[in-house]
Amino acid sequence: MNTVMLAFLLAALLAAPLPPVVEPQPDRDGRSVWHTRHFRIESDTPLSPARIARLSQVADSTLAALREHPLPLHAPPREERPAIVVFGRPADYEAAGGERGSAGFYVARRASVLLLADFVAPDAATAKRFPPGYDEDIVVHELVHLGMHGVNPRLPQWFVEGIAEYFACAHEGGGRFRFDRMDMALRDHLRRRFDPRNPELPLVPPGDLVSLSSRGWMDAIGRLPPEERYRAYATALLLVHYHLHGGKERFDQIRTALETPARRPAKLLDPADGPDLEAKLTRYWKPKGLDLRFGTRLDPPKFPQKGP
């Protein structure tokens, strides 16, 4: 067994979530406040003890999964308790910086995660208001961004978004993670987000993503129709899986990029690699139940890209 496979099997031991820790605090700016092991939860709307306990469990367990993963992904904000801020009204969520139509959003400049209250323990009614597959994994995606706050900011955005989706795939609910069945988890995750009855996945070509910085990603993805934006995240997820499960050389390439000083752009792929990557990904996933169709093109960002 090679060292990479051993590392992933060890990471699979994180299956059990951490017990919730919920410590009530004095109100802050009109919001109720609780402390978990590592986070400060604020809410402007009433939340039941069970919902707060569930969010605490997911948040602390996600950070633990990042810390125990064989890649150096654990880099939360240096402040003692980064904020997870819950909003009862979409208008207030958007006014605080949340993206319209989303359920969770990581605000890097404030080192915090914003959530709609519906996603603090989602229920059947939530599924009717948002696209298919919107569930607690959305919370995990944003918490991964928060937990990786201090990693190299010159990483390409496809990796930043793809690794957050990767952890969302590994999440089985309530802070329970498994990394020993990622092919199946990824397949099921993508089928839920698109059409469970249709194995065809409409995706953005890898060559359109690999050079985008954070600003370039937001600009290019933001000009897609809302119903098409996840196609870019799905491609990013497939590219992360390609590197993490494609042998020691690719895995070590990611490790080096994470450990490289921030002043140096981390170039993991070249746009010219796009057609070859499409062919490799298509061949790999076809027998596993996914029919990849790379057809949703991105318009170039409106400003020059200075590297990832």
Side-chain angles (χ1 to χ4, degrees), residues 13-35:
L13 297 175
L14 286 164
L18 296 174
V21 170
V22 178
E23 300 174 350
Q25 305 294 316
D27 288 1
R28 176 173 178 159
D29 299 327
R31 298 189 181 102
S32 299
V33 181
W34 303 265
H35 283 177

Side-chain angles (χ1 to χ4, degrees), residues 22 28 87 172-173 189 212 254 259 268 276 296:
V22 178
R28 176 173 178 159
F87 296 89
E172 297 189 325
H189 181 86
L212 293 179
I254 295 294
E259 295 174 344
L268 299 172
D276 183 53
T296 304

Side-chain angles (χ1 to χ4, degrees), residues 22 30 33-34 72 82 87 99 118 126 128 154 156 159 163 180 191 194 196 198 215 229 272 288 294 299:
V22 178
V33 181
W34 303 265
F87 296 89
E99 184 177 2
D118 286 346
T126 298
K128 298 179 181 179
R154 303 297 295 278
F159 176 79
I163 197 69
D180 60 341
R191 291 286 290 273
F194 288 97
N198 185 357
R215 183 184 174 197
R229 291 174 187 170
K288 300 178 185 299
F294 296 97
D299 293 330

